[in-house]
Amino acid sequence: MRNRLSRALPVAVALLAAVAVLPVSAATAAVPEPAAHTAQTALAALAALADEDETYIVTLQKDLDPVAVADMVGATPVHVFDTALHGFSARLSPAQVTALRAMPGVESIEEDGETAGFGTF
């Protein structure tokens, strides 16, 4: 399982980069008093968002187009598999997982994670 902080870090960097390019007038809008711990609150919100949608590996029957199936549930594939298995990986909400489980032709949906072998032979 990947570290949850490593999932939120790219989102936090993107957010900070977006804030950095705001025009000075937008960045200095009249605010009576800044909220305490604004940066920490934003990072906590980003971490919560990152935890909501897990990455899943979805395997499909050979006659289905993985990109089309992902599009049907509003998902964007992170990777499309066509060699060892037929399907895609994507960040999916619980509602998207439920919708995929109900679709004909979806063979399996597994949460992505790390595996370890027993060593070398």
Side-chain angles (χ1 to χ4, degrees), residues 61-100:
Q61 292 177 348
K62 294 281 185 192
D63 59 336
L64 294 176
D65 176 20
V67 176
V69 172
D71 190 45
M72 289 173 150
V73 296
T76 302
V78 174
H79 187 79
V80 175
F81 302 103
D82 59 3
T83 305
L85 51 102
H86 183 72
F88 64 94
S89 67
R91 288 179 92 41
L92 302 172
S93 68
Q96 289 169 316
V97 171
T98 301
L100 283 166

Side-chain angles (χ1 to χ4, degrees), residues 22-67:
L22 284 176
V24 175
S25 61
T28 59
V31 176
E33 288 185 33
H37 302 38
T38 304
Q40 292 167 343
T41 304
L43 288 176
L46 288 172
L49 284 175
D51 289 341
E52 284 180 13
D53 296 344
E54 298 293 332
T55 303
Y56 290 86
I57 297 175
V58 180
T59 54
L60 307 168
Q61 292 177 348
K62 294 281 185 192
D63 59 336
L64 294 176
D65 176 20
V67 176

Side-chain angles (χ1 to χ4, degrees), residues 1-12 50-51 91 114:
M1 201 75 179
R2 288 179 276 176
N3 185 341
R4 296 208 185 267
L5 181 59
S6 68
R7 292 180 183 173
L9 188 58
V11 176
D51 289 341
R91 288 179 92 41
E114 294 181 16

